[in-house]
Amino acid sequence: MARSALQYAGLTLGGMGLVGTVAVTIMPQWKVSAFIGGNLVVFENLWEGLWMSCRSQATFRLQCKVYDSLLALPPDLQAARGLLCTAAVLSILAFVTAILGMKCTKCAGDDDGAKRPTLLAAGVLFIIAGLVVLTPVSWVASSIIRDFYNPTLDDGRKRELGEALYLGWTSALAMVAAGAILSCASYTRGESRSYRYSLPSHRATPKSCHTEKKPLSVYSRSQYV
């Protein structure tokens, strides 16, 4: 029972991390900027993502443009694009492998010993995918913070942390936790069957300690004559 609960918890966290990884890869809110001119705040935000940049104006009009070339991206976003695509593929493989290693699935057979390596492989894949997501997200966040406190940089070029970064951290932690839970579940033994042996109801009567001796045959003396 405890093993099944661990498997369901790990699969749920892994599914959440998978959805979050795909969403982070698509979302343009990686770098968000707010333009402030003098004492007048202009409601215009610029979003920079892995695939496009969007501009929202005061009239609630959103305009997005796909990047013309990969070379137009800064190095951190270039690396983030490749790593996030790799993490998405790894998380999908981990989720499918976890389903095959579940106790309730029958497509991989009923052998519990064969499902444990499958479940362990799914846990390792989830941990690797979480670390792959965590690396570019932290890299982009550190570059944003470094540029934000750079006094030589123009205010119009400074950026803030977008919603995609927070979602990326959450997805990475969810997948690492899912991998740890599935790895623990692969080492947890299932419910052991207890067999009770009942003693026979009738008790064997103890044999008498004194066994009757058969009388020796008595031969008359006349038989030997």
Side-chain angles (χ1 to χ4, degrees):
M1 186 65 181
R3 185 184 178 188
S4 299
L6 287 176
Q7 290 179 0
Y8 285 120
L11 188 64
T12 302
L13 288 175
M16 294 171 59
L18 169 61
V19 175
T21 302
V22 175
V24 169
T25 308
I26 300 175
M27 290 175 62
Q29 292 94 340
W30 279 68
K31 296 181 179 182
V32 179
S33 62
F35 301 111
I36 302 176
N39 296 326
L40 178 63
V41 178
V42 181
F43 293 95
E44 186 177 15
N45 293 329
L46 178 64
W47 301 341
E48 295 181 9
L50 302 181
W51 309 97
M52 65 184 70
S53 61
C54 299
R55 187 185 300 272
S56 62
Q57 299 177 356
T59 57
F60 301 101
R61 182 180 180 182
L62 183 64
Q63 296 178 350
C64 295
K65 181 182 178 181
V66 181
Y67 296 122
D68 297 331
S69 175
L70 180 63
L71 299 177
L73 290 173
D76 53 354
L77 292 183
Q78 290 181 11
R81 178 186 287 191
L83 290 175
L84 261 295
C85 292
T86 304
V89 175
L90 288 176
S91 58
I92 293 173
L93 290 177
F95 189 77
V96 175
T97 307
I99 292 177
L100 295 177
M102 293 287 288
K103 186 178 180 181
C104 59
T105 56
K106 304 297 181 182
C107 55
D110 296 334
D111 189 6
D112 191 28
K115 288 185 176 182
R116 289 182 182 178
T118 305
L119 204 63
L120 179 61
V124 173
L125 286 175
F126 269 126
I127 293 175
I128 295 175
L131 294 177
V132 172
V133 173
L134 188 63
T135 301
V137 171
S138 301
W139 185 7
V140 173
S142 64
S143 64
I144 292 174
I145 295 174
R146 183 180 63 252
D147 294 338
F148 186 81
Y149 291 102
N150 187 4
T152 61
L153 192 63
D154 188 13
D155 292 339
R157 298 175 57 187
K158 292 183 178 180
R159 301 291 183 264
E160 296 178 358
L161 301 178
E163 293 83 356
L165 299 179
Y166 297 103
L167 183 59
W169 282 318
T170 305
S171 302
L173 293 178
M175 285 192 292
V176 170
I181 292 174
L182 291 177
S183 299
C184 294
S186 64
Y187 286 103
T188 304
R189 294 184 178 181
E191 298 177 358
S192 59
R193 297 179 180 178
S194 59
Y195 299 93
R196 296 181 180 179
Y197 298 94
S198 59
L199 295 174
S201 59
H202 60 280
R203 295 183 179 179
T205 56
K207 296 182 179 181
S208 177
C209 298
H210 302 283
T211 57
E212 297 179 359
K213 297 182 179 180
K214 295 182 179 180
L216 298 175
S217 58
V218 180
Y219 300 94
S220 61
R221 292 182 178 179
S222 60
Q223 293 179 355
Y224 294 96
V225 179

